[in-house]
Every structure is written in structure tokens, then in C-alpha cells.
Amino acid sequence: MKAIIADNIGRLHLENVNGPTIKQEELLIKIVASGFNPIDYQMLENELERKLMHSPILGREFSGIVVEVGEKVKDFKVGDAVFSGSGSMGSNGTYAEYIAIRESVVAHKPIFLSFEQAAGIPSVGLTALQSFNRMKLQNTDSVLITGAAGGVGAMLIKILLANNFSNFIVTAGNEESIQALVEIGVKHNQIINYKTDVVETFALAKNNQQKFDFVVDLVGNEIGEIAARLLKSNGTFLDVTALSTVESREILFNKGAVIMNISNYVYSADKNYAYYKNGLLELVRLIENELVTPPNIEIIGQLNTETVVKAHERLRLNKTKGKKLIMQVNTI
């Protein structure tokens, strides 16, 4: 099969490699579309993320068609349209024509979602859903979300609004991102442009000069330090990036903060595979009932090195314009 391979110094190549074989509980899936996420390029550049690589083929989510089923598979048959957040549980990443993956983390693709839409849901959707479920928000709580126009931020906001929670303030970095947030229901007075506004001053002003009960940091580094300063003492800080700094960790320690590390890897490590399928089914339910809309996608290209490099660069420079980037892999 064709696949995009990362060599040991982070360069990407389109190569022909052996296709995967399936185990008794697995499906062989012909990938139709694959989604891009920041962790993809971070695995090439960040030592912590690189340790999580299990294959030289990157990519963590996909949609496709089942072409073979293992002997113990119960809920799928050849020809089924499916989608999944494969994480580190598939035979390889999703920048490839095929993947073998256990059926327990795969969901049927609903007919009201295109393959491209479905491929953009798992990583951002499961991360956002985990964040929401773990916060256990009360109506009186206040929330700050940094980098809210990205895929996870947008989905988290949709889930918050679907649950009638609107006491949040968000940051974004350009007019296109701000407009994308407005289109999903965020009010202008809830948005801080971190490139033109002093984030700390504006965040406090928008929250009645009070610091926040919860901070969801989707950016890390210097923005994470600002976010840490805006958290209340004994507040809860959701770290979705693993890009904390010495200063942000010191600030949070001195505040007695509860730090929630939001990572989908923990479920695969504990073999709690039901989390993946249950999460995907919950996201489908929210979308089907029109409580949440699917990600706003942009098809950026076909399966080739140029497409991947372009997508990674857009993600690195925060130029996705509020859209989820999708690669078309196979035609159907």
C-alpha cells in the first residue's frame, strides 16, 4: 500500500509498504479520508510526543470502508462504512491506504455524515468530550478557553452550548477565527483577540474582575503561563497540550491547582477501549439531534507528501481559519 513515512530525522516520504494483516478481533479498513491534528507534526518535533509514536506512519483518525473482518468480529461486515480515532491502537497511522484496527474502537459512519466530515470528528470530538465530562461544571462556574477556534476548542464550545452552559471566555488570534467562533454561537463580548488585546486585562474585565474556576489551555507555552495566572486559587487547569513551562507549573503549584491532563492515550494504555466507541456514539447522537454540528472541514489534498507538509505547516502557524484539515486517501 502507499503511505507517508516519517524517517528518523522527521522527513516525510511517500512509499510503497506492505499492507497490514488483521488479528481475530480486528477489521481491515480501506481509508477514504484522514484528519490532521497538531500532535501529528508535534511527533516530528517534540521529544515527549515522539515517544508516543508506534509507527513511522503518522495520523490518528480516519473514515473508510471495511474490506476484511477477523474471525471474532461481531458488529461489522465487509462493505460497512466506518470511522475511528485510531490513536496508537491501529496497525499503523492513517496517512496510508489501509489500517488494521480492533473493532472495539470503531463506529459505523452515519449516512448523514460524509467520509470527510466523519474523519474530522474523532480526535477533536473525543478530546472535547473528555474535557467536558471531567470538568463536571456547575452553572456558577466560569471557564477560560485558550486557542478556542481550533478543532478541540470549537467542539468543546459546541458541547458546552448544547448543555446550556455559556459562562465562558475564549481567545482567538485573527478575524477569521473570531468569525468562526461567532458562527458556532460565541458572542463577540466573550472573545479576546490575543494579538491585539492584553489577554489578562480583557479576561478579567469580561469576568467581572474575577479569576476563573476552570481554564482549558489548548495552546501551551507562553499562552499557558497567562492562562495559569488567570486561574483562581484551588481552581482546575485542563492541560490539553503537554506544553507547560517551568513558570506555568510553578504558578499552578503555588495556586494549589487541580491539573487535569487531557490525553486519549490513557484509555488505550488501560485497554478501556469502550471509551472510544461510546464517545464516538455520543458525538453522533449530539450531531444527529442537531445539538452539535460536525467540524467545519477543508479538504487540503490527496495522499501525497505535499499535502501532509502543507497541512502540518498550516497547523504549526495556526492558519487553519477555524477549519479541520482533511486528506482524501482513497476514492469509493
Side-chain angles (χ1 to χ4, degrees), residues 247-288:
E247 182 173 345
S248 64
R249 291 192 292 271
E250 182 177 343
I251 293 167
L252 294 171
F253 180 84
N254 290 337
K255 289 189 172 189
V258 173
I259 300 175
M260 290 186 178
N261 294 298
I262 305 299
S263 169
N264 288 325
Y265 279 101
V266 65
Y267 295 98
S268 58
D270 293 346
K271 301 188 184 301
N272 182 14
Y273 301 118
Y275 161 81
Y276 286 85
K277 179 173 289 188
N278 291 342
L280 291 175
L281 294 177
E282 173 63 10
L283 292 164
V284 168
R285 183 191 70 80
L286 291 171
I287 295 170
E288 185 174 21

Side-chain angles (χ1 to χ4, degrees), residues 83 113-114 116 124 157 240 298 326:
F83 72 119
L113 291 174
S114 69
E116 290 78 13
V124 298
I157 288 168
V240 191
E298 178 184 344
I326 301 295

Side-chain angles (χ1 to χ4, degrees), residues 57-319:
I57 303 171
L58 299 175
R60 306 174 51 76
E61 60 188 345
F62 68 91
S63 63
I65 300 290
V66 177
V67 295
E68 186 180 348
V69 297
E71 295 178 3
K72 294 184 179 180
V73 170
K74 298 178 180 178
D75 297 329
F76 298 90
K77 64 183 185 302
V78 172
D80 283 350
V82 297
F83 72 119
S84 175
S86 55
S88 59
M89 297 172 291
S91 57
N92 46 258
T94 63
Y95 298 179
E97 292 184 304
Y98 293 90
I99 190 170
I101 188 168
R102 62 180 68 242
E103 72 163 329
S104 55
V105 300
V106 178
H108 289 278
K109 182 188 77 65
I111 59 174
F112 55 81
L113 291 174
S114 69
F115 281 95
E116 290 78 13
Q117 286 176 314
I121 290 173
S123 289
V124 298
L126 291 172
T127 302
L129 192 63
Q130 182 190 159
S131 299
F132 174 76
N133 288 338
R134 291 182 66 185
M135 281 192 284
K136 296 181 171 57
L137 293 169
Q138 304 297 314
N139 289 335
T140 55
D141 288 330
S142 58
V143 179
L144 173 68
I145 306 171
T146 66
V152 175
M155 184 61 74
L156 176 57
I157 288 168
K158 292 174 184 179
I159 293 171
L160 291 171
L161 293 174
N163 285 273
N164 299 311
F165 186 91
S166 59
N167 191 21
F168 55 81
I169 302 298
V170 304
T171 71
N174 55 62
E175 289 303 319
E176 290 171 319
S177 295
I178 290 171
Q179 184 57 36
L181 289 169
V182 171
E183 289 174 359
I184 64 174
V186 183
K187 298 176 181 178
H188 279 286
N189 63 3
Q190 294 177 285
I191 303 172
I192 300 168
N193 185 331
Y194 68 83
K195 290 187 177 178
T196 60
D197 302 332
V198 179
V199 173
E200 290 186 62
T201 302
F202 276 72
L204 291 171
K206 291 175 181 293
N207 197 41
N208 299 314
Q209 298 301 323
Q210 299 294 312
K211 294 190 176 182
F212 293 82
D213 298 289
F214 290 84
V215 168
V216 183
D217 181 28
L218 301 171
V219 181
N221 296 319
E222 292 181 5
I223 295 295
E225 294 170 3
I226 295 171
R229 288 196 291 270
L230 285 165
L231 183 69
K232 284 183 178 178
S233 295
N234 300 313
T236 300
F237 189 92
L238 279 71
D239 183 0
V240 191
T241 69
L243 296 174
S244 62
T245 67
V246 172
E247 182 173 345
S248 64
R249 291 192 292 271
E250 182 177 343
I251 293 167
L252 294 171
F253 180 84
N254 290 337
K255 289 189 172 189
V258 173
I259 300 175
M260 290 186 178
N261 294 298
I262 305 299
S263 169
N264 288 325
Y265 279 101
V266 65
Y267 295 98
S268 58
D270 293 346
K271 301 188 184 301
N272 182 14
Y273 301 118
Y275 161 81
Y276 286 85
K277 179 173 289 188
N278 291 342
L280 291 175
L281 294 177
E282 173 63 10
L283 292 164
V284 168
R285 183 191 70 80
L286 291 171
I287 295 170
E288 185 174 21
N289 291 324
E290 299 182 349
L291 298 171
V292 165
T293 56
N296 187 12
I297 65 170
E298 178 184 344
I299 299 170
I300 194 168
Q302 309 297 313
L303 178 64
N304 57 57
T305 306
E306 291 74 17
T307 295
V308 175
V309 170
K310 181 168 64 173
H312 286 190
E313 187 69 3
R314 291 266 299 273
L315 288 165
R316 186 184 293 107
L317 298 176
N318 191 27
K319 292 186 176 181

